[in-house]
């Protein structure tokens, strides 16, 4: 077979361990999954009710233009319908952007560690990858600017950043964008946008309006709790969206996903409640870290990265045996740490107690 040379040895995305897999391996009846930054409170009842009431034919293709959700989202955001693009999760939008802009001879700039699909898709397309190390968990925007040259096609900014949870503030973002060449696409990946509480966070709608080379990505997978339906969207200038649309697969938003997202969008009370509960949950982890003298990043997402200065996989395995699935830092480019999704109050207390037991049993001293 004449495979692309760049995919030789390239590994597929490795998701976190599944609940059923861990139950079977360790003989456990109850598992709490805190590894994939899913919403512990599920999804809006309005979304559930819409799915349960759906009675049309499954044999028909979805609306390829996602008309109803597009109209509602256009009104909700205050953007023109032509400024929106939809993806099978924001992951597909990352793929679409990479496919449209990256190729051998071009390069792309990103932080490290950050969401791995930026690098993965750039590798598939044969582009040069320029990774700029984080500084204290944050994007080093000055160094990223220095990495841009005439062959740079895309710059990826994950805010809040996964896996650290650190965000880019308005002042730093505007200073950065003012210096980025107009022919370089800047992708603002805001998968965790709805969880942000920082006062100096930028207004992405204003940013996309003022900078014609910016596209913003968001998703219904996180705070809306619709990860299984895979619905993401992006907004930017009409010119950007028009150029990307031919790369998008037809019918990429399935009928049930589009309808569930529409119903979820109408329930902002649920979104706001989840945001409040997430903030309380983060405080539980902050108090634990401070008491145990553990280093951590203050997070604007629904997860926290905690540095235990130990073998991440050892802690990962220990917590699984206790019934808690988290994400090993070894898989995220953060050895010594684990990333924990913020769960319900009781779930947080449970995993915190398990982590305390690990500290005692392994005589970890900070």
């Amino acid at each position: 077979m004449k495979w692309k040379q760049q995919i030789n040895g390239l590994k597929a995305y490795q998701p976190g361990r599944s609940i059923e897999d861990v139950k079977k391996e360790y003989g456990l009846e109850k598992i709490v999954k805190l590894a994939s930054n899913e919403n512990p409170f599920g999804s809006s009842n309005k979304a559930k009710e819409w799915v349960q009431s759906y009675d049309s034919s499954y044999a028909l293709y979805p609306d390829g233009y996602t008309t109803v959700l597009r109209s509602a989202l256009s009104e909700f955001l205050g953007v023109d319908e032509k400024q929106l693009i939809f993806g099978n999760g924001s992951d597909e939008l990352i793929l679409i952007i990479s496919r449209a802009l990256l190729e051998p001879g071009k390069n792309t700039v990103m932080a490290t560690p950050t969401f791995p699909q930026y690098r993965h898709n750039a590798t598939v397309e044969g582009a040069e990858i320029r990774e700029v190390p984080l500084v204290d968990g944050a994007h080093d925007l000055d160094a990223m600017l220095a990495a841009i040259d005439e062959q740079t096609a895309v710059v990826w900014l994950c805010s809040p950043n996964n896996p650290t949870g650190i965000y880019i503030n308005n002042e730093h973002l505007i200073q950065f964008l003012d210096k980025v060449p107009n022919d370089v696409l800047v992708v603002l990946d805001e998968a965790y946008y709805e969880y942000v509480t920082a006062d100096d966070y930028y207004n992405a709608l204003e940013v996309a309006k003022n900078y014609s080379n910016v596209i913003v990505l968001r998703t219904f997978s996180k705070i809306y709790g619709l990860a299984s339906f895979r619905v993401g969207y992006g907004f930017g200038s009409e010119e950007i969206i028009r150029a990307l649309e031919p790369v998008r697969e037809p019918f990429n938003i399935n009928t049930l996903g589009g309808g569930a997202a529409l119903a979820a969008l109408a329930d902002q009370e649920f979104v706001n409640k989840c945001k409040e509960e997430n903030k309380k949950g983060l405080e539980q982890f902050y108090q634990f870290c401070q008491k145990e003298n553990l280093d951590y990043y203050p997070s604007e997402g629904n997860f926290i990265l905690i540095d235990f200065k130990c073998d991440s996989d050892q802690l990962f395995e220990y917590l699984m045996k206790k019934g808690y699935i988290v994400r090993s830092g070894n898989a995220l480019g953060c050895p010594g740490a684990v990333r924990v999704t913020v769960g319900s109050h009781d779930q947080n207390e449970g995993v915190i107690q398990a982590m305390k037991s690990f500290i005692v049993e392994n005589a970890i001293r900070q």
Side-chain angles (χ1 to χ4, degrees), residues 101-210:
L101 286 160
L102 299 179
E103 60 187 343
K106 292 183 180 177
N107 68 70
T108 181
V109 177
M110 64 195 70
T112 184
T114 190
F115 187 51
Q117 290 306 98
Y118 312 146
R119 186 182 216 287
H120 182 92
N121 282 284
T123 300
V124 171
E125 300 303 332
E128 177 192 350
I129 299 164
R130 297 183 176 180
E131 295 181 303
V132 178
L134 300 173
V135 175
D136 295 329
H139 286 67
D140 186 345
L141 296 179
D142 289 337
M144 293 182 77
L145 272 173
I148 297 172
D149 63 18
E150 292 182 356
Q151 300 307 315
T152 303
V154 185
V155 175
W156 306 89
L157 302 178
C158 188
S159 179
N161 185 52
N162 177 12
T164 60
I166 301 294
Y167 70 102
I168 302 171
N169 70 30
N170 181 71
E171 179 182 1
H172 292 159
L173 178 63
I174 298 306
Q175 290 175 352
F176 176 79
L177 293 176
D178 282 342
K179 298 174 183 177
V180 175
N182 291 331
D183 63 349
V184 174
L185 182 67
V186 178
V187 182
L188 287 176
D189 187 347
E190 292 193 313
Y192 302 95
Y193 158 75
E194 290 86 0
Y195 286 108
V196 175
T197 61
D199 293 334
D200 59 348
Y201 192 74
Y202 57 85
N203 183 328
L205 289 164
E206 287 298 314
V207 170
K209 179 180 179 181
N210 294 330

Side-chain angles (χ1 to χ4, degrees), residues 12-32:
Y13 178 77
Q14 298 296 315
R17 295 287 298 275
S18 71
I19 291 175
E20 292 306 316
D21 183 28
V22 175
K23 278 185 177 180
K24 182 178 180 180
E25 180 173 350
Y26 295 103
L28 299 171
E29 294 185 2
K30 181 181 178 182
I31 295 292
V32 177

